[in-house]
Amino acid sequence: MTGPDPEEHARRLAAESLSADDPTGWFERLYAEAEQGEAVVPWDRGAPHRMLVEWARAAGLDGHGRTALVIGSGLGEDAEFFSGLGFRTVAFDVSATAVRAARRRFPDSTVRYLTADLLDTPDDWEKVFDLVVESLTVQALPRSVRLEAVARVAGTVGPGGTLIVVAAARDKRDDPDQGPPWPLTRAEVESFATGDLRPVRIEAVRDAQQPGVRRWRAQFHRDRPRH
Ligand SMILES: C[S@@+](CC[C@H](N)C(=O)[O-])C[C@H]1O[C@@H](n2cnc3c(N)ncnc32)[C@H](O)[C@@H]1O
């Protein structure tokens, strides 16, 4: 497809959606346009996120007998990666078109792909997953809903469970109100830790391809209650 820069186009759709007081409607529009060959999904890497893969390999992660929730799963690459490590994986996205596209991309998948809104997650996801993967979704939502989004993500981590977060890091030059994305400050990353969900490691990693860009990779753990 030749046409506008994919990131510019996504930002234009987002601006239209936000001006109609709809923080998430533009994702469906973008994925639907991409289905028609009229747009490119800028974050479609055709592979799981490198920072998640590195983390999982370094940790020797084995998901057999464990559950995972992948938030804002897009076209399914991260969900398939964690499923491949043995996790019984649920993956959801606010865009029904993205969910259909992920199922089509991975027809033999055992991942349960669902359409759902992070800002309105089902009650039966509260504190149940052994691994929760949040990569680039909170940063794709405006700061007006950040507290809610962070709390919803954190709330799905079960006792003994792990949360891994990947997000763009806010730079001094960034205008906090100009997005998407709306990169996160260190304090915002730390705010995933509430109650018995505690930080294990928070790293600011330089992007090998874009040396000026830093991303957060943050791991949290929820202790099991003591009896
Ligand atoms: C920047 S993309 C990242 C996609 C994927 N996590 C990745 O790293 O490739 C953000 C994704 O989150 C989804 N999303 C945005 N807001 C959401 C919400 N409120 N609930 C669920 N998914 C959401 C979008 O549709 C999109 O697929």
Side-chain angles (χ1 to χ4, degrees), residues 51-52 54-55 58 164-169 186 189 199-206 214-220:
M51 286 173 66
L52 293 175
E54 284 172 1
W55 170 75
I164 183 77
V165 175
V166 170
R186 187 179 185 95
V189 175
V200 175
R201 189 167 185 205
I202 298 180
E203 305 167 82
V205 181
R206 286 208 181 279
R214 282 183 322 139
R215 296 187 206 286
W216 300 115
R217 178 170 50 203
Q219 180 184 342
F220 302 84

Side-chain angles (χ1 to χ4, degrees), residues 55 61-68 87 126-132 154-164 194-198 200 219-227:
W55 170 75
L61 210 62
D62 178 3
H64 290 94
R66 304 175 72 209
T67 57
F87 287 93
E126 183 71 19
K127 290 194 180 174
V128 297
F129 292 95
D130 298 316
L131 173 68
V132 175
T156 60
V157 183
T162 294
L163 166 64
I164 183 77
T194 48
D196 51 3
L197 186 66
R198 57 177 179 78
V200 175
Q219 180 184 342
F220 302 84
H221 178 80
R222 188 184 302 288
D223 293 329
R224 290 183 192 281
R226 287 164 189 266
H227 294 291

Side-chain angles (χ1 to χ4, degrees), residues 72-94:
S73 48
L75 296 165
E77 300 286 350
D78 295 339
E80 294 300 320
F81 172 69
F82 286 101
S83 169
L85 295 180
F87 287 93
R88 197 148 36 85
T89 304
V90 174
F92 74 99
D93 201 284
V94 74

